[in-house]
């Protein structure tokens, strides 16, 4: 990385644990944060926008960026579905004088934590239970029975990595989880 370096706030969780909602809350509360828009090769959902939720790339474009070493980290989060953090995205945020906030899966979160060391705060958002998580995913209505099972199975494994993060926020009640996360991030950015 070149130029001025800011900090990194990493939010990781099993899919459906509420991390995206918490990340959006933190962005509203803390104007010094900017969202790091990941790249992905998965198809766009109806409510999503190109360059806002993700940089949606074709599998070929994604592979090309990997070869060009354009990613700080990338991963095949689900079979055939790639996600990654572009180096240019982090540089853009830091050049604007902001700190970057990331919404990543657990493996990606731990990779970034390793990469950025003390510059990063890695928060694990934990769902109250796998049953609650499955119900939230069902209600979100974005999954088929098959992709839901994949996500819940993966979540079980991801819960085991919680103790490798700097902090854990259990999302029993969203308001409280948001407040806890805000406290953690405020303290980290003040340091
Ligand atoms: P979704 O398809 O529901 O948007 O995201 C699936 C998973 O991929 C989520 O856990 C999300 O946080 C994760 N993800 C999003 N962007 C990245 C990224 O840049 N790198 C990694 N490793 N995971 C990501």
């Amino acid at each position: 990385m070149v130029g001025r370096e800011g900090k990194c706030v990493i939010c990781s969780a099993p899919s459906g644990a509420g991390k995206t909602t918490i990340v959006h809350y933190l962005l509203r509360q803390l104007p010094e944060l900017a969202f790091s828009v990941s790249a992905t090769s998965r198809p766009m959902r109806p409510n999503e926008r190109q360059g806002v939720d993700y940089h949606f790339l074709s599998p070929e474009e994604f592979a090309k960026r990997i070869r060009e070493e354009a990613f700080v980290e990338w991963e095949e989060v689900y079979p055939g579905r790639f996600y990654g953090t572009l180096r240019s995205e982090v540089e853009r945020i830091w050049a604007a004088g902001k700190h970057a906030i990331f919404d990543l899966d657990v493996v990606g979160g731990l990779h970034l934590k390793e990469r950025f060391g003390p510059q990063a705060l890695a928060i694990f958002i934990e769902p109250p239970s796998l049953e609650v998580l499955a119900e939230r995913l069902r209600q979100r209505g974005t999954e088929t029975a098959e992709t839901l099972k994949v996500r819940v199975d993966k979540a079980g494994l991801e819960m085991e990595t919680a103790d490798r993060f700097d902090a854990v926020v259990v999302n029993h009640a969203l308001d409280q989880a948001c407040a806890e996360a805000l406290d953690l991030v405020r303290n980290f950015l003040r340091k």
Side-chain angles (χ1 to χ4, degrees), residues 13 15 19 38-39 42 45 48 54 73 75 77-78 83-85 103-105 108 140 151:
S15 176
K19 75 176 172 309
S38 294
R42 82 148 160 76
R45 295 179 188 144
E48 290 179 324
Y54 284 104
E73 64 79 40
E75 204 196 325
V77 175
Y78 302 106
Y83 295 77
T85 303
D103 174 335
L104 299 178
D105 88 325
R140 193 168 80 176
R151 285 185 186 237

Side-chain angles (χ1 to χ4, degrees), residues 142-157:
T142 53
E143 307 307 316
T144 63
E146 195 185 322
T147 62
L148 189 133
K149 186 178 179 314
V150 171
R151 285 185 186 237
V152 174
D153 286 351
K154 186 169 185 291
L157 295 173

Side-chain angles (χ1 to χ4, degrees), residues 15 19 37-45 48 53-59 62-63 65-66 71-86 103-109 111-112 140 143 147 151 154:
S15 176
K19 75 176 172 309
V37 180
S38 294
T40 184
S41 69
R42 82 148 160 76
M44 203 187 297
R45 295 179 188 144
E48 290 179 324
D53 299 282
Y54 284 104
H55 299 292
F56 293 94
L57 304 180
S58 68
F62 202 102
R65 301 288 173 93
I66 293 174
F71 291 107
V72 188
E73 64 79 40
W74 64 268
E75 204 196 325
E76 188 173 3
V77 175
Y78 302 106
R81 303 228 157 149
F82 292 82
Y83 295 77
T85 303
L86 291 163
D103 174 335
L104 299 178
D105 88 325
V106 165
V107 175
H111 277 151
L112 274 193
R140 193 168 80 176
E143 307 307 316
T147 62
R151 285 185 186 237
K154 186 169 185 291

Side-chain angles (χ1 to χ4, degrees), residues 2-138:
V2 288
R4 176 197 175 276
E5 297 205 348
K7 291 184 179 177
C8 296
V9 175
I10 301 162
C11 288
S12 289
S15 176
K19 75 176 172 309
T20 304
T21 311
I22 294 173
V23 167
H24 286 162
Y25 172 80
L26 293 172
L27 281 162
R28 281 198 306 278
Q29 297 299 316
L30 300 169
E32 61 269 52
L33 289 178
F35 183 61
S36 165
V37 180
S38 294
T40 184
S41 69
R42 82 148 160 76
M44 203 187 297
R45 295 179 188 144
N47 59 334
E48 290 179 324
R49 281 179 296 160
Q50 175 67 282
V52 176
D53 299 282
Y54 284 104
H55 299 292
F56 293 94
L57 304 180
S58 68
E60 296 71 31
E61 279 172 308
F62 202 102
K64 181 166 168 271
R65 301 288 173 93
I66 293 174
R67 285 195 304 275
E68 292 168 351
E69 298 187 3
F71 291 107
V72 188
E73 64 79 40
W74 64 268
E75 204 196 325
E76 188 173 3
V77 175
Y78 302 106
R81 303 228 157 149
F82 292 82
Y83 295 77
T85 303
L86 291 163
R87 202 176 295 279
S88 56
E89 187 67 15
V90 183
E91 283 171 357
R92 177 185 66 78
I93 291 169
W94 287 350
K98 301 217 174 193
H99 304 296
I101 182 164
F102 303 83
D103 174 335
L104 299 178
D105 88 325
V106 165
V107 175
L110 289 172
H111 277 151
L112 274 193
K113 178 175 149 57
E114 221 169 80
R115 165 71 184 76
F116 291 111
Q119 252 173 302
L121 172 72
I123 304 175
F124 185 87
I125 315 285
E126 191 170 290
S129 68
L130 286 180
E131 290 71 27
V132 171
L133 183 88
E135 190 44 40
R136 285 182 189 166
L137 281 172
R138 239 175 251 124

